[in-house]
Amino acid sequence: MRLERKNFFQVYMILRARSYLLLYLHTMKSHVKQHNSFTYEVIVVDDGSTDQTTKVAQKYSKQFGSDKVRVLTLVKNRGKGGAIRMGVLSSTGKNILMADADGATKFADLEKLEAGLKDLQKPWPDNMAISCGSRAHLEKESVAQRSYVRSFLMYGFHFLVWFLCVRGIRDTQCGFKLFTREAALRLFTLLHIDRWAFDVELLHIAQHFSIPVAEIAVNWTEIDGSKLVPFWSWLQMGRDLLFIRLRYLTGAWKYESHQKEN
């Protein structure tokens, strides 16, 4: 049976997952009530957590129906990029929203991303387009609240992203991105990076294929409890940026795939 392609958002759990999941699903439910024409499926990817995320998500799956809320549980942690890749490639949506469920961005801002997609100049190549949530407009405020070391690392990372991989996008790392189905399948099929720098690889591939990208300012709140350890996380991400640049440049990674997109 062919499934109807729906508006879709995928939830990836990272911080205090169980409590955030409850909040996010309640927010989604409220949005659906206000928009009767809104059809959806939610895919919750539990990336090897130990906080009963799967149990809570399965409860919601029974409440809403397995056609509305699906749960994918990874036995072993694969990293944010690997978990989201699995969720996206399991989706059936016409439009696919990648969203962290920690509450840093609000589900209501989905409308801003949808408007951003519509405003992109057409025709889109093979119906591929992306609308990225952005916190760039909050940069001055965030710098004022951060230590000098964290600010230095942030600017250093932004420079490396610009120099090695992606130009013209000020915030590559916001975990709130809307893809057309065609763009999501093309990009996530080719994705290699499983950890925090996977967003950069996605956008690097998108720019290679001249996929139009809108960068949309969204509301964002700093959430306590991040797993990122400033120095070591930025070191790992810097290494991944070099991998992205060098491996595509040398042909070790290809901008093509034999996997069928559907």
Side-chain angles (χ1 to χ4, degrees):
M1 175 184 289
R2 183 178 179 181
L3 294 174
E4 176 191 0
R5 290 185 175 180
K6 303 174 281 290
N7 291 307
F8 158 79
F9 77 90
Q10 180 268 333
V11 182
Y12 169 71
M13 308 310 304
I14 48 174
L15 312 171
R16 292 183 294 184
R18 182 172 56 181
S19 60
Y20 288 135
L21 175 60
L22 292 172
L23 175 62
Y24 218 84
L25 289 179
H26 278 303
T27 303
M28 178 273 298
K29 185 177 180 181
S30 175
H31 182 88
V32 170
K33 285 183 177 180
Q34 296 173 18
H35 301 78
N36 294 329
S37 62
F38 186 85
T39 56
Y40 67 94
E41 70 173 349
V42 180
I43 297 182
V44 181
V45 184
D46 181 348
D47 191 17
S49 73
T50 57
D51 62 359
Q52 296 188 321
T53 294
T54 293
K55 184 177 179 180
V56 173
Q58 286 175 340
K59 178 182 177 181
Y60 269 83
S61 181
K62 291 179 181 178
Q63 179 181 341
F64 286 87
S66 58
D67 61 323
K68 298 294 186 183
V69 179
R70 288 193 283 147
V71 186
L72 303 180
T73 303
L74 303 178
V75 176
K76 185 178 180 180
N77 180 276
R78 290 183 56 181
K80 184 176 182 179
I84 290 181
R85 182 178 187 273
M86 174 172 284
V88 168
L89 296 181
S90 300
S91 73
T92 62
K94 180 179 179 181
N95 292 316
I96 300 174
L97 176 67
M98 179 184 86
D100 293 336
D102 60 1
T105 49
K106 306 304 179 185
F107 185 72
D109 280 347
L110 171 59
E111 294 180 8
K112 294 182 181 179
L113 298 191
E114 290 177 320
L117 273 185
K118 292 178 181 178
D119 290 342
L120 285 171
Q121 185 175 354
K122 292 186 177 182
W124 302 337
D126 298 324
N127 200 41
M128 294 188 293
I130 309 169
S131 186
C132 295
S134 175
R135 304 157 298 180
H137 61 296
L138 302 172
E139 186 172 292
K140 289 184 179 179
E141 179 183 341
S142 64
V143 167
Q145 297 175 355
R146 287 192 175 111
S147 67
Y148 288 116
V149 173
R150 288 179 68 91
S151 295
F152 174 78
L153 292 172
M154 179 189 71
Y155 283 122
F157 177 76
H158 288 174
F159 173 77
L160 287 177
V161 169
W162 174 85
F163 186 73
L164 296 172
C165 302
V166 176
R167 305 235 172 144
I169 300 174
R170 295 176 63 195
D171 182 8
T172 59
Q173 301 307 110
C174 181
F176 199 65
K177 294 181 173 68
L178 182 65
F179 306 82
T180 61
R181 179 175 181 80
E182 292 79 5
L185 293 182
R186 174 71 64 86
L187 299 178
F188 281 92
T189 296
L190 296 173
L191 185 68
H192 297 86
I193 299 294
D194 282 341
R195 296 290 171 181
W196 298 98
F198 81 97
D199 302 77
V200 178
E201 186 185 1
L202 287 176
L203 293 171
H204 175 77
I205 300 169
Q207 292 191 337
H208 172 81
F209 287 112
S210 298
I211 297 173
V213 179
E215 187 171 10
I216 307 298
V218 295
N219 296 306
W220 184 78
T221 305
E222 183 82 45
I223 301 297
D224 295 331
S226 173
K227 292 181 180 179
L228 286 175
V229 178
F231 179 78
W232 295 112
S233 60
W234 293 125
L235 191 65
Q236 182 185 53
M237 292 170 78
R239 181 201 64 181
D240 287 344
L241 296 181
L242 286 172
F243 283 168
I244 293 168
R245 176 67 173 177
L246 294 177
R247 289 180 176 177
Y248 279 111
L249 189 65
T250 61
W253 291 352
K254 308 292 184 181
Y255 293 107
E256 59 187 21
S257 172
H258 298 294
Q259 181 172 330
K260 183 178 179 181
E261 298 173 8
N262 48 43

